[in-house]
């Protein structure tokens, strides 16, 4: 009888372990260096662990979408573990391939393709495509010399537009933020609006039309003392303005008064550089 009782807990452990293994979705995926691989989950990512520093991992603006890319070429095989807020557990074996066969993985709990209606699928695909476009534009801009369109420097703080670009119809603004003071600058808001070029004394903000970027990158919550931040990139759906209006970019300080604004005219936007 002692022999039997000795093995009952052991069998229980084996059974429980087998159940856990059954609930883990394991997949092999390929990731390259020049191309970005996206994984879309059915719910938001709650936990992740990346097995190697040679693999770049980022949760996108949509918290159920992650992107992977090699930090180096020909990296060694590694793994990524992800748990979603619904408790879905995924284990990915990541192998290097300079030209991955699949760049977009859309998953459900059991690893099968996620069934979405056409509008939802279109939205997810557009978001994934936009993120890829954003990476491409960022790489192209990094190889160019900055060309300042407009800038302002007050209170030992600087705000400059160092480039305006067009890619696949969307407009990208590359900003530079510079704090040359001894006091950190906490960002309360970065606002974009179309305003009358010369406001009358009794004009109200009702004349201002605020625009929302469709994507952004490197937007800071704080600019430290004596810190310069380059390549703050914001992207908008295509738009133009008339000659009697300006495109206003304003940064507002939290618990402070060092608010800065640059105003772009129609000619600045129409002269945006096309990225091939």
């Amino acid at each position: 009888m002692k022999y039997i009782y000795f093995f009952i807990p052991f069998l229980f452990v084996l059974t429980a372990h087998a159940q856990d293994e059954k609930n883990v979705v394991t997949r092999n995926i390929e990731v390259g260096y020049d191309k970005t691989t996206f994984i879309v989950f059915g719910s938001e990512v709650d936990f992740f662990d990346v097995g190697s520093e040679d693999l770049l991992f980022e949760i996108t603006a949509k918290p159920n979408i992650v992107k992977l890319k090699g930090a180096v070429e020909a990296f060694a095989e590694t793994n990524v573990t992800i748990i979603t807020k619904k408790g879905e557990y995924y284990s990915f074996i990541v192998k290097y391939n300079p030209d991955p066969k699949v760049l977009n993985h859309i998953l459900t709990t059991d690893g099968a393709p996620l069934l979405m209606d056409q509008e939802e699928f279109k939205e997810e695909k557009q978001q994934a495509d936009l993120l890829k476009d954003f990476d491409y534009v960022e790489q192209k801009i990094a190889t160019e010399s900055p060309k300042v369109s407009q800038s302002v420097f007050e209170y030992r703080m600087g705000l400059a537009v160092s480039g305006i670009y067009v890619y696949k119809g969307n407009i990208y603004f590359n900003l530079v933020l510079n704090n040359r003071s001894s006091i950190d600058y906490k960002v309360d808001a970065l606002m974009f609006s179309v305003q009358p070029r010369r406001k009358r004394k009794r004009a109200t903000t009702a004349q201002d039309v605020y625009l929302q970027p469709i994507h952004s990158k490197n937007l800071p919550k704080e600019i430290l003392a004596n810190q310069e931040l380059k390549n703050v990139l914001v992207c908008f759906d295509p738009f133009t303005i008339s000659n009697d209006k300006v495109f206003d970019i304003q940064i507002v300080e939290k618990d402070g008064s060092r608010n800065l604004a640059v105003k772009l005219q129609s000619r600045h936007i129409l002269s945006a550089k096309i990225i091939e």
Side-chain angles (χ1 to χ4, degrees), residues 151-160 176-187 220 222-229 251-253 257-262:
S151 65
V152 61
F153 188 82
E154 293 181 297
Y155 316 112
R156 302 188 67 82
M157 280 291 305
L159 168 63
V176 177
L177 305 174
N178 193 355
N179 182 3
R180 295 185 184 176
S181 75
S182 302
I183 301 174
D184 296 344
Y185 186 103
K186 294 183 179 180
V187 179
E222 187 175 24
I223 309 168
L224 302 179
N226 298 310
Q227 181 184 30
E228 182 180 52
L229 298 178
I251 185 170
V252 179
E253 183 180 21
S257 302
R258 293 180 292 176
N259 303 332
L260 303 177
V262 293

Side-chain angles (χ1 to χ4, degrees), residues 130-146:
L130 177 61
L131 293 174
K132 288 190 291 184
D133 292 346
F134 219 83
D135 284 343
Y136 179 75
V137 171
E138 189 176 30
Q139 291 174 9
K140 296 290 287 186
I141 291 176
T143 63
E144 297 190 356
S145 300

Side-chain angles (χ1 to χ4, degrees), residues 27-30 37-41 102-107:
R27 289 177 69 103
N28 294 321
I29 62 173
E30 297 177 339
T37 297
F38 290 86
I39 308 176
V40 181
F41 298 95
V102 179
L103 291 175
N104 298 289
H105 300 266
I106 303 178
L107 308 177

Side-chain angles (χ1 to χ4, degrees), residues 8 26 46 71 97 101 117 138 146 156 170 189 196 220 257 264 266 272:
I8 287 177
T26 303
D46 190 46
N97 187 336
K101 297 181 179 64
D117 60 46
E138 189 176 30
R156 302 188 67 82
N170 293 327
S257 302
L264 300 175
S266 176

Side-chain angles (χ1 to χ4, degrees), residues 34-139:
D34 293 318
K35 295 183 178 180
T36 303
T37 297
F38 290 86
I39 308 176
V40 181
F41 298 95
S43 62
E44 297 181 11
V45 173
D46 190 46
F47 168 86
F48 69 88
D49 181 77
V50 181
S52 171
E53 294 182 353
D54 292 339
L55 183 66
L56 299 177
F57 178 97
E58 181 181 341
I59 300 175
T60 68
K62 299 198 73 171
N64 66 313
I65 302 177
V66 302
K67 62 179 182 178
L68 302 169
K69 180 184 284 188
V72 297
E73 295 185 73
F75 60 81
E77 180 180 308
T78 185
N79 73 305
V80 174
T81 299
I82 293 175
I83 302 175
T84 68
K85 286 193 174 181
K86 287 186 178 180
E88 302 158 339
Y89 195 112
Y90 296 88
S91 178
F92 297 96
I93 304 301
V94 183
K95 299 180 180 180
Y96 179 80
N97 187 336
D99 188 20
K101 297 181 179 64
V102 179
L103 291 175
N104 298 289
H105 300 266
I106 303 178
L107 308 177
T108 56
T109 305
D110 59 2
L114 183 64
L115 297 177
M116 299 183 288
D117 60 46
Q118 288 298 315
E119 287 302 317
E120 187 179 0
F121 179 79
K122 182 179 179 182
E123 181 182 346
E124 296 286 0
K125 187 177 185 303
Q126 287 176 340
Q127 180 68 17
D129 290 343
L130 177 61
L131 293 174
K132 288 190 291 184
D133 292 346
F134 219 83
D135 284 343
Y136 179 75
V137 171
E138 189 176 30
Q139 291 174 9

